[in-house]
Amino acid sequence: MATKPTIAFSHLGCEKNRIDTEHMIGLVAEAGYQVDSDEDAADYVVVNTCSFIEAAREESVRTLVELAEANKKVVITGCMAQHFQDQLLEELPEAVALVGTGDYHKIADVIDRVEKGDRVREVSAEPTYIADDTVPRYRTTTEGVAYLRVAEGCNYRCAFCIIPHLRGNQRSRTIESIVSEAQQLADQGVKELVLISQITTNYGTDIYGEPKLADLIRALGTVDVPWIRMHYAYPTGLTPKVIAAIQETPNVLPYLDLPLQHSHPEILRAMNRPWQGRVNDDIIENIKTALPDAVMRTTFIVGFPGETNAHFEHLLNFVRRHEFDHVGVFTFSPEEGTPAYTLPNPVPEAVMEARRDAIMKVQQPISLKRNRQCVGEVVDVLIEQENPATGELVGRSARFAPEVDGLVYVEGGARLGSLVPVKITDADVYDLYGHTV
């Protein structure tokens, strides 16, 4: 019997995309296809694209064009396939198939059909699929960490965001399915699980009729994994019940990723955010009181249409006042198909960039102060890389999330994927330095 063709995967975009890619690798391997990390050696390259903002689309297009120029048979999956299906099929004759965000579980069947000579378009108009704990998955992250999806899609309609259009409405997995997958990952030796969805604090509302994040946190407390981290927690969803669950579940880190986007009530209303006004200040103070050890990360958008100097000053003072541990700043990107695309009073690119730089300038000494508070402490560090030339180890402490925050540079010996106690001896704006104890 002829051997099945070889497939390589190119993953672009967010960790939600990464999970989709990991499931696709698991599914094609289960179907008997060879999987190779070398795109040159592969018969097909599956490109899981991102379409969140213009820069992400440009990277996706660049990748597709390079593969097409190398005469690769390309399967386009993910958000761009969902977003621009007609244009992609028209402009890229090398694209043998398109697979939408709600159809990646059909990947093996799609390649079977391509092998028979079809050009396949498998894109559901309204994505409704979400993988559970029974769908095969091949992890592509460093051995110590894994992302765990608790829900997919979003019911909010923020004026700047294309995600609901690309990934559909919220659909949560059951608590049982999530705990089962968490246990599988723990059995593989994973030391850190990162819970993700579009809005993790809304977990369960669609299937249980009310948010069930507190129940999920407590259920995950039974899984033998040292660190569980949550991403994308709306501050309004951090209810006393959720905060109590974090406090009472030892392996759930008091790390809060709060996608605030802005501080001024007028801009928040224009953005169609689901809460408004000074409630931001009160909620953040309440969280700090309830979880005094919490590490707080947030992201802001500057240059939203109509953002005045006064609105921006409000945001700058907000950053000064709250002293977040980690801050990310994006300049507004107008996305066709979103309400913000046609809003009047655009902010010039140069002004947006100056505002982004001004926030980072205010934030850097705050981040430095926060990091310096760790000097002299002994903290657990998850070892993820080793520099073969110097023997220096690189990892993260609980205050750093993978891929978005800083690193800990460690002298001394330790196994990759292990958690080791490290004495912190130095700190800069982004990273910590220390030696194993």
Side-chain angles (χ1 to χ4, degrees):
M1 194 175 117
T3 57
K4 287 197 167 186
T6 302
I7 304 170
F9 285 81
S10 175
H11 152 77
L12 303 163
C14 67
E15 59 274 34
K16 300 167 196 79
N17 250 18
R18 182 189 290 281
I19 291 175
D20 298 348
T21 301
E22 292 179 345
H23 281 305
M24 287 192 283
I25 296 171
L27 287 161
V28 298
E30 185 184 63
Y33 287 98
Q34 316 291 313
V35 178
D36 198 312
S37 57
D38 179 6
E39 291 173 5
D40 294 334
D43 300 296
Y44 293 93
V45 182
V46 177
V47 182
N48 201 1
T49 58
C50 179
S51 194
F52 182 48
I53 56 174
E54 184 64 37
R57 282 198 291 278
E58 285 169 3
E59 185 191 11
S60 293
V61 168
R62 236 186 349 264
T63 304
L64 292 169
V65 168
E66 281 167 13
L67 289 165
E69 285 171 352
N71 293 321
K72 280 290 159 200
K73 288 186 274 192
V74 180
V75 177
I76 306 174
T77 69
C79 289
M80 268 191 91
Q82 191 72 32
H83 200 175
F84 298 109
Q85 40 186 306
D86 293 333
Q87 295 97 308
L88 288 169
L89 283 175
E90 199 175 304
E91 291 170 25
L92 277 175
E94 295 80 5
V96 293
L98 272 187
V99 180
T101 58
D103 304 276
Y104 62 87
H105 55 301
K106 303 170 187 164
I107 186 69
D109 173 61
V110 166
I111 293 170
D112 287 347
R113 286 159 60 194
V114 170
E115 279 287 281
K116 292 180 182 132
D118 294 349
R119 195 180 194 206
V120 181
R121 183 198 301 228
E122 192 65 74
V123 183
S124 301
E126 176 70 22
T128 56
Y129 177 72
I130 181 166
D132 63 18
D133 54 310
T134 64
V135 180
R137 179 178 173 188
Y138 175 86
R139 278 191 13 257
T140 59
T141 44
T142 61
E143 55 194 286
V145 66
Y147 292 99
L148 181 56
R149 177 156 41 206
V150 302
E152 173 63 282
C154 187
N155 292 347
Y156 288 154
R157 294 295 182 267
C158 299
F160 53 82
C161 184
I162 196 89
I163 295 289
H165 176 62
L166 300 180
R167 289 192 172 258
N169 284 328
Q170 178 173 303
R171 44 211 189 268
S172 303
R173 296 170 57 182
T174 64
I175 290 176
E176 293 75 18
S177 168
I178 296 165
V179 171
S180 165
E181 187 177 2
Q183 192 55 62
Q184 290 171 25
L185 293 164
D187 292 344
Q188 292 170 22
V190 166
K191 297 289 189 288
E192 176 180 15
L193 295 174
V194 184
L195 307 186
I196 59 164
S197 70
Q198 259 66 40
I199 311 288
T200 303
T201 30
N202 284 357
Y203 165 74
T205 42
D206 50 314
I207 54 174
Y208 297 116
E210 58 179 341
K212 285 286 185 185
L213 181 58
D215 299 36
L216 176 64
I217 287 170
R218 291 181 191 281
L220 286 168
T222 64
V223 177
D224 185 19
V225 66
W227 289 354
I228 296 177
R229 186 187 304 275
M230 277 187 307
H231 272 193
Y232 317 121
Y234 262 51
T236 42
L238 291 169
T239 58
K241 238 169 114 170
V242 171
I243 285 173
I246 295 170
Q247 285 168 323
E248 292 160 27
T249 311
N251 57 350
V252 172
L253 300 174
Y255 175 100
L256 300 172
D257 182 1
L258 313 167
L260 297 177
Q261 312 307 3
H262 212 280
S263 63
H264 199 288
E266 286 168 13
I267 297 295
L268 289 168
R269 269 195 288 277
M271 287 178 166
N272 198 30
R273 296 297 274 165
W275 83 93
Q276 281 128 8
R278 284 185 57 78
V279 73
N280 265 1
D281 277 336
D282 298 340
I283 285 176
I284 289 164
E285 291 310 326
N286 291 345
I287 293 167
K288 284 179 177 170
T289 306
L291 291 169
D293 296 333
V295 173
M296 295 174 96
R297 145 173 272 283
T298 190
T299 46
F300 297 114
I301 295 172
V302 292
F304 191 79
E307 184 189 54
T308 62
N309 285 336
H311 292 142
F312 177 67
E313 279 301 319
H314 187 280
L315 178 58
L316 216 45
N317 288 326
F318 184 80
V319 173
R320 284 191 189 103
R321 191 161 63 246
H322 289 299
E323 298 201 331
F324 297 98
D325 294 84
H326 312 292
V327 170
V329 188
F330 295 91
T331 53
F332 171 71
S333 171
E335 295 306 308
E336 206 170 339
T338 64
Y341 188 70
T342 52
L343 284 178
N345 306 316
V347 176
E349 194 70 41
V351 175
M352 289 203 268
E353 286 171 10
R355 287 177 180 176
R356 179 189 60 204
D357 295 347
I359 290 188
M360 293 319 292
K361 200 171 171 186
V362 164
Q363 178 60 31
Q364 282 173 340
I366 297 169
S367 293
L368 179 61
K369 181 173 99 174
R370 287 272 188 246
N371 277 350
R372 282 203 173 136
Q373 287 166 351
C374 302
V375 173
E377 291 182 355
V378 174
V379 299
D380 283 341
V381 172
L382 177 58
I383 303 297
E384 296 185 295
Q385 304 163 45
E386 182 178 7
N387 180 334
T390 62
E392 185 181 47
L393 301 168
V394 185
R396 289 177 297 103
S397 67
R399 59 181 281 102
F400 297 140
E403 299 183 36
V404 290
D405 298 331
L407 298 167
V408 185
Y409 292 88
V410 181
E411 290 174 9
R415 253 184 337 103
L416 287 180
S418 64
L419 267 177
V420 295
V422 171
K423 180 159 189 182
I424 302 301
T425 54
D426 199 4
D428 61 27
V429 171
Y430 297 110
D431 303 316
L432 299 175
Y433 303 83
H435 55 76
T436 53
V437 190

